[in-house]
Amino acid sequence: MPKPPNAAEMIFSVKSFAAAMLALYIALGMGLPRPFWAMMTAYVVAGPLSGAVRSKAVYRVAGTILGSVAAVALTVALVDAPELMVLGVGLWVGLCLFVSLLDRTPRSYLFMLAGYTAGLIAFPAVTSPDTIFDTGLARVEEILLGILCATVIHSVVLPRGIGPVLLARLDGTLCDAERWTLDALSGADDAARAADRQKLARDVTELRVMSAHLPYDTSDVRWMTRSVRALTDRMTYLLPVLAAVGERLAALREAGDRDGSGGLPPALLSVLEDVRRWIADDSGTPAQADALRAALDRLAPVLGDDRDDPSPWHRATLLGLVTRLRTLVGIHRDCRELRAHIRSGNHSLPAHLDPLTRGRSRGVFHLDCGMALWSGAAAFLGIVLVSGFWIATGWSSGSAAAMMVAIFCCFFASFDDPAPGIRMFLVFTLLSMPIGAFYLLVVLPSTDSFPMLALSLAPTFLLLGCFIPRPALMGQSMALLFGVAGSLSLLDTNTADFASFLNSSSGQVVGIVAALQVTRLCRSVGAAWSARRLLHAGWREIAALAAVRAPSAATGFESRMLDRVGLLSARFAQLGSQPGRRLDPAAIDAVADLRVGLNVVELQRVRPALGHAAAPAIERLLGGIAGHFRARITKDTARHPSPPPEELLGSLDGALSSVGAAPPSPERDRAVVALAGLRRSLFPAIALQAPAHPEGVLA
């Protein structure tokens, strides 16, 4: 039994109902043929956060207009060939769905709506193409009216801005990041760090998606969009850097425990404790952070010719730890300064923070072209099959079935397995039909004024609207609400009778069932399958980065890989402890893959400055890394990814020796740090050899 609605849910329901009634009243006054389309559209656009409503409304308007133009153009061009017209509309829907799935921003609504809006307009015109202009214009007016009314009501009446919600999430993520940093510096167990990594990845990805709505928000935070995006950019880099710090600390402590030296020099332990105190202190200043970075610079070990060093990897790992600690302090400093600036409400950034707003992560997400293409093909197939049956049998409500296929194949295309969602909508659509029949056949004929109509609709729509903001009940309540509104929208309410209602309802059911069956046969995949596909995408990109000859900018690599980490963690949570699973979440560390990729990019960038002597060894190493990740893709048929070959460890040793022999330079130090990171990420079980005189490691 669900708990009673709270005040915020009731306010949202009242606002949504008011917007729907306003749209319905204006549509009736304008004499539009399907006024309930406007009412239903107002609910489709509604959302608890006004910024998201406004951003989606902009793209929904554009998508509606684009879809109507496409519907008219296809109908006029293929007026004498209904079969070709259906094929054209199906191809248009599939193409729009494909493009929308390749755009994980609010702009995706434009393409998705352009697809199924064309179906909503064109399919009813198959049997009467001479009415396409009137039908298209009426549908656009009804849909735009619903969008406009919902946007105005949710923006003006007690608006709930996305800004405060986003800032609260941002503060929580920053607190989690600082807690995880303290855990890593204190040597927390691997299981706790892995859970923190996955949570941070999910939170940062969600913040990036939420910030896309911020320019359309009703709160003052919309003027701080650049600063919010810069802050999420810096947090993107925090994940791999903090993982690298934790891994290096663990490796050095292990080496020290074996020989009793303690692993870390006393001077570094002292600075490490200062870093820990600064992060734990909310009042820590940027000046203190700069002092810590300067102290770490002084502790960086001086590298000599590594061929004469009995423990070159220990020194390289220590240099990597100092370097990554310096970066870690800088990221936390930038995050605190940006958050304080956002809190101040000052629209102009200080000069030293302004470069951070030119980050690269905006709109950079993992995209799966194959699944997007397959989803578009499934929608096309469903439309063609249902439309073929409709045309062959002359079924009068076949257009409703074709419309339902287009809508449901689009709505759930972003899910790994859309079938459960479509099945749930089917069940609650069936449950909504008696309510829809009651309104259509009993209530509407007996009401003679708009106030009476609104009063009769209020109990059902106000009650269902209260549960839309609840994630656990949103799907069921929307399915019931759209089922009732859809029954009213698909028929001419002035001439509706039981036979036409039954025919139209059967069209809806057949369309949803067809979408469900096509999805089951062609599109449904499991969490393990999607997780493996995400892993392969990351491995393929790392292999490509390692294989290029020229230095790679790798624009957006960090953001794409971080997005994959977040997506993987959601799939791993679904896998849980499934028996017989072909993928073991505990054996996979996507953050390690992210660090491998970043170190490969760094090595590629500094390679030209290292001279010709180091080139063959680096070339051999990068070729081995590219081959290893390609082999992972082709051989990944068991539960565990294939480990790196032993030859790659020898290539790492050779590369470190060659780089160590290069003349001293900042680029050489960066290369050594990257090599140490690669060794730890690829061969975490290979222990370091502690130096004979640990007290002399630091300069």
Side-chain angles (χ1 to χ4, degrees):
M1 184 70 180
K3 63 180 181 180
N6 57 36
E9 292 167 343
M10 288 189 288
I11 290 173
F12 168 78
S13 182
V14 170
K15 287 170 31 178
S16 299
F17 184 73
M21 291 302 100
L22 178 61
L24 179 61
Y25 179 77
I26 297 174
L28 289 169
M30 293 173 61
L32 295 176
R34 298 284 190 272
F36 285 95
W37 272 113
M39 183 190 79
M40 186 169 68
T41 302
Y43 272 102
V44 172
V45 177
L49 302 177
S50 57
V53 172
R54 286 151 61 105
S55 69
K56 293 178 182 179
V58 171
Y59 294 115
R60 285 183 186 276
V61 168
T64 299
I65 295 173
L66 179 60
S68 64
V69 171
V72 172
L74 288 168
T75 304
V76 171
L78 304 171
V79 64
D80 296 323
E83 297 83 1
L84 292 179
M85 177 181 165
V86 166
L87 286 175
V89 175
L91 285 172
W92 173 259
V93 173
L95 175 63
C96 289
L97 179 58
F98 168 74
V99 176
S100 73
L101 292 175
L102 295 181
D103 189 341
R104 293 175 56 199
T105 68
R107 189 172 53 238
S108 64
Y109 289 97
L110 188 159
F111 304 108
M112 184 183 292
L113 198 63
Y116 69 75
T117 296
L120 295 178
I121 296 173
F123 287 135
V126 169
T127 55
S128 55
D130 54 308
T131 64
I132 184 61
F133 290 103
D134 293 336
T135 301
L137 180 60
R139 242 8 43 86
V140 170
E141 290 176 337
E142 290 154 4
I143 293 173
L144 293 186
L145 185 58
I147 293 172
L148 179 62
C149 291
T151 304
V152 170
I153 294 296
H154 286 281
S155 299
V156 174
V157 180
L158 300 175
R160 187 187 177 198
I162 197 172
V165 177
L166 187 146
L167 292 183
R169 291 288 302 275
L170 201 59
D171 288 338
T173 304
L174 283 172
C175 289
D176 289 342
E178 291 178 349
R179 177 180 54 80
W180 180 37
T181 301
L182 294 173
D183 290 344
L185 295 179
S186 302
D189 62 280
D190 292 339
R193 292 207 305 268
D196 286 337
R197 284 200 297 263
Q198 293 179 0
K199 185 177 186 302
L200 182 61
R202 290 196 304 269
D203 289 348
V204 172
T205 298
E206 290 173 5
L207 285 170
R208 290 168 59 207
V209 174
M210 289 180 68
S211 66
H213 299 289
L214 201 52
Y216 305 90
D217 197 28
T218 54
S219 68
D220 291 338
V221 184
R222 68 183 182 275
W223 304 114
M224 310 300 294
T225 301
R226 290 173 62 230
S227 301
V228 171
R229 286 174 176 164
L231 181 50
T232 56
D233 281 348
R234 296 304 286 158
M235 294 174 68
T236 298
Y237 288 93
L238 183 62
L239 184 71
V241 170
L242 193 48
V245 168
E247 291 287 344
R248 284 166 170 81
L249 280 172
L252 291 168
R253 284 167 177 157
E254 287 173 8
D257 290 341
R258 285 197 308 274
D259 68 351
S261 64
L264 296 177
L268 182 56
L269 283 172
S270 176
V271 176
L272 194 62
E273 184 59 33
D274 292 339
V275 170
R276 195 181 293 116
R277 280 197 296 268
W278 178 79
I279 292 175
D281 184 7
D282 292 336
S283 60
T285 64
Q288 292 172 330
D290 292 336
L292 289 172
R293 284 159 60 89
L296 288 167
D297 286 338
R298 292 191 294 271
L299 291 177
V302 177
L303 299 177
D305 188 341
D306 285 321
R307 289 174 296 186
D308 301 327
D309 191 339
S311 54
W313 284 114
H314 189 283
R315 188 179 293 270
T317 302
L318 192 55
L319 176 62
L321 173 61
V322 172
T323 303
R324 298 302 186 225
L325 276 173
R326 187 183 186 281
T327 304
L328 179 65
V329 173
I331 292 174
H332 277 285
R333 179 201 62 191
D334 293 340
C335 288
R336 288 186 177 183
E337 285 197 83
L338 285 166
R339 183 62 186 96
H341 174 75
I342 294 169
R343 194 177 289 112
S344 71
N346 187 356
H347 302 166
S348 59
L349 276 171
H352 70 284
L353 291 179
D354 186 65
L356 298 178
T357 64
R358 303 188 184 97
R360 298 173 294 173
S361 73
R362 181 181 178 185
V364 179
F365 298 98
H366 165 74
L367 303 177
D368 192 334
C369 295
M371 285 304 295
L373 182 62
W374 197 239
S375 297
F380 171 74
L381 177 62
I383 290 171
V384 168
L385 290 176
V386 169
S387 299
F389 174 78
W390 159 34
I391 294 174
T393 59
W395 183 20
S396 60
S397 290
S399 60
M403 286 190 290
M404 291 301 106
V405 172
I407 290 173
F408 282 92
C409 284
C410 289
F411 270 4
F412 296 94
S414 60
F415 290 77
D416 289 337
D417 185 3
I422 298 176
R423 188 188 307 112
M424 180 270 296
F425 253 82
L426 173 62
V427 170
F428 282 90
T429 298
L430 291 171
L431 293 176
S432 73
M433 285 182 178
I435 305 174
F438 174 74
Y439 275 115
L440 190 66
L441 304 176
V442 178
V443 174
L444 293 184
S446 61
T447 55
D448 55 2
S449 65
F450 182 79
M452 288 300 299
L453 174 61
L455 285 174
S456 64
L457 293 171
T460 299
F461 285 85
L462 284 174
L463 177 63
L464 293 175
C466 288
F467 299 105
I468 292 178
R470 295 188 187 181
L473 298 174
M474 180 180 67
Q476 296 92 321
S477 56
M478 287 182 66
L480 278 172
L481 192 149
F482 291 161
V484 176
S487 298
L488 299 174
S489 302
L490 290 174
L491 292 174
D492 187 341
T493 53
N494 295 320
T495 60
D497 54 24
F498 183 75
S500 61
F501 169 78
L502 190 62
N503 205 14
S504 175
S505 298
S506 63
Q508 291 186 65
V509 172
V510 169
I512 300 174
V513 170
L516 175 62
Q517 295 304 321
V518 169
T519 297
R520 277 177 170 171
L521 292 173
C522 303
R523 175 58 183 79
S524 294
V525 296
W529 191 92
S530 294
R532 179 173 284 106
R533 191 169 177 84
L534 285 164
L535 287 169
H536 287 185
W539 296 343
R540 194 176 296 111
E541 187 167 7
I542 293 171
L545 290 172
V548 296
R549 295 283 181 177
S552 174
T555 302
F557 169 76
E558 306 94 331
S559 297
R560 277 191 300 274
M561 284 298 293
L562 180 71
D563 188 29
R564 291 180 186 123
V565 173
L567 295 173
L568 276 168
S569 67
R571 270 68 178 187
F572 289 164
Q574 295 177 37
L575 285 174
S577 56
Q578 294 178 1
R581 62 191 179 190
R582 295 172 58 85
L583 194 69
D584 186 4
I588 296 169
D589 189 354
V591 178
D593 294 338
L594 168 59
R595 288 165 48 212
V596 168
L598 292 176
N599 286 313
V600 166
V601 171
E602 182 74 355
L603 202 56
Q604 291 276 30
R605 287 172 179 167
V606 301
R607 182 170 56 163
L610 298 177
H612 296 291
I618 294 177
E619 188 75 25
R620 186 164 51 252
L621 171 63
L622 292 174
I625 292 173
H628 164 60
F629 280 98
R630 290 195 197 101
R632 270 193 168 187
I633 298 171
T634 58
K635 297 179 181 178
D636 182 33
T637 56
R639 293 173 60 186
H640 299 270
S642 55
E646 291 297 325
E647 295 79 9
L648 198 54
L649 185 59
S651 297
L652 280 164
D653 291 335
L656 181 63
S657 179
S658 298
V659 170
S665 66
E667 289 78 12
R668 187 192 68 165
D669 290 352
R670 288 166 58 189
V672 169
V673 171
L675 289 171
L678 286 171
R679 186 179 189 269
R680 186 64 187 174
S681 298
L682 294 171
F683 298 96
I686 304 297
L688 294 176
Q689 179 183 354
H693 303 287
E695 67 279 359
V697 169
L698 293 177

